[in-house]
Amino acid sequence: MLESITENLTNAIGNITRGKLSEGNIREGMGEVRKALLEADVNYDVAKAFCDRVTEQAVGDKVLKSLKPGEQIVGIVYNELVNLMGPVDHSIAIRRGETSIIMMCGLQGAGKTTTCGKLAKMLMAEGAKPMLVAADLQRPAAIEQLKVIGEQVGVPVYWEEASSSTPVKVCQNAKKAAKQQDCNVIILDTAGRLHIDDSLMKELIQIDNKLMPNQVLLVCDAMTGQDAVNSAKAFNDALELDGVILTKLDGDTRGGAALSVKAVTGVPIKFAGMGEKLDLLEPFHPDRMAQRILGQGDIATLLETAQRHMDADELEAQQKKMLEGKFDLNDFMKAMGQIQKMGSMKSIMKLIPGMGQLSQAMDAMEGMDPDKDIKRVKAMISSMTEDERRNPEKIDRSRRNRIATGSGADPAEINDLLKQFKDMSGMMQQMAGMGMGDRMKAMREIQNEAMNPNSRSMSQGKQRSKRGETTKDALREKKKKERQRQKKNRKRRK
Ligand SMILES: Nc1nc2c(ncn2[C@@H]2O[C@H](COP(=O)(O)OP(=O)(O)O)[C@@H](O)[C@H]2O)c(=O)[nH]1
Ligand SMILES: [Mg+2]
């Protein structure tokens, strides 16, 4: 997600800050920034006001006469991006001794029912006892869907036959049922429509008036861009929203909804849906989002993801083995498994400062797919015997051929893997004997090597990219190819 806004915005800012800074240059360059925002589907007025605010601060003497005006301007853009989306309060007030009510609303397909389940799971982890309420009587399938989700999360679902009840009645009865079952939060899964209409709004306003929810949350689909923002405004006018949950932020969104919704409605995004699975709801952090949009990665989220998915004891055991030089191919395999649990390599790389570009470059290069590489390496190691994994030096020509046949790889690939593993083990042992400063330096060297996709360790086996190619070259090459393709298409149409 967000690749194109990141690229366009950083290019635009780069152009402003590269040359000699003057008021005229800045004003001119801000036109590019505005274009980048509009291309990302940011609301027109929001983009204009944003650029006006940045320009006003950037052309002042304080910036132009400062030591590093370029950095100051990047700082101004960052702050304004954060202000555009925040501040946000992630708490969902659960009152003691009474049944708290959370009402979810939104258009059909936005992700309401799924998000009810995610929210219940999140609240459970915080010690609450939620109950889900099937207040969408429009489609019989909606009740069934909520029941399935309730079962997956392990929370009760209150429902009534759609033919003999009304949404308000269901919610009122659910409140009573929650008391009896000792639940302290009810989450109302209300109906949606493909478009906002009067009867939908009337139904929601009725529930709002009768139940007086503690929180009304709007579920918005990030993929629908400005439509999502316009509907958010309509819902807010009718219901006074407390927050927005932006779903499908894992998808191919251009970022427009995330950047505009708070500015247009005054209601911040509290949480973001990052996938279909029920544990993929995250607090929305405007600062981290701004960092990502500016291509600066998101280390905070990376660390949180690592903590959530990696086993700390296992990590420590592996580290100890590494330092003692006892790290074998079994451990290597386990380490890769742990990384895979965090998500795809490419999604992880996007969170590391500077690595986002590398991941884009990989897209441009044929055969460059770190996730496929991990799978291949795992297949090769799986075809080794326990003894071979522990003592890779025993793998001779005939064993190598057997492993290659077993894993569908080329014998040369097995050689490469073994050599890489040997190099890596050597490097780790060397690092174990180093002081902190040298270790940092070595880490930087490893990172540099990773940043250059030509580096030996990443392009062995198959000749995947031409020599001397850097990330930027690869991006340029990708764009060139795209232009050629478009040209061809145009010719064909003629
Ligand atoms: N990729 C992705 N898909 C989601 C997310 N949230 C919901 N979905 C999917 O969106 C579709 C519609 O969701 P649903 O909860 O039924 O929407 P509702 O009509 O608003 O209740 C389903 O296929 C969900 O799995 C998300 O955060 N990421
Ligand atoms: Mg639904």
Side-chain angles (χ1 to χ4, degrees), residues 108-109 111-114 136 139 142 145 189-192:
Q108 195 170 308
K112 287 181 300 301
T113 308
T114 315
D136 176 359
R139 297 173 306 153
Q145 188 192 358
D189 181 28
T190 65

Side-chain angles (χ1 to χ4, degrees), residues 339-353:
I339 291 176
Q340 277 182 314
K341 270 198 249 163
M342 286 173 55
S344 76
M345 266 317 263
K346 279 194 200 148
S347 65
I348 296 171
M349 279 165 69
K350 280 181 194 145
L351 299 177
I352 303 174

Side-chain angles (χ1 to χ4, degrees), residues 170-235:
V170 171
C171 295
Q172 287 172 327
N173 291 339
K175 201 173 159 189
K176 287 178 209 147
K179 274 217 180 86
Q180 280 160 10
Q181 295 185 38
D182 212 18
C183 291
N184 59 355
V185 196
I186 57 175
I187 303 174
L188 314 179
D189 181 28
T190 65
R193 300 276 196 287
L194 286 175
H195 294 284
I196 287 177
D197 65 33
D198 278 350
S199 72
L200 168 70
M201 281 305 172
K202 269 191 201 131
E203 180 178 317
L204 295 177
I205 291 170
Q206 228 183 356
I207 299 178
D208 192 31
N209 287 342
K210 288 268 159 42
L211 271 289
M212 306 263 264
N214 305 71
Q215 294 251 318
V216 183
L217 299 176
L218 177 74
V219 179
C220 249
D221 179 345
M223 306 280 285
T224 57
Q226 286 318 292
D227 285 345
V229 177
N230 293 336
S231 73
K233 195 166 178 320
F235 275 104

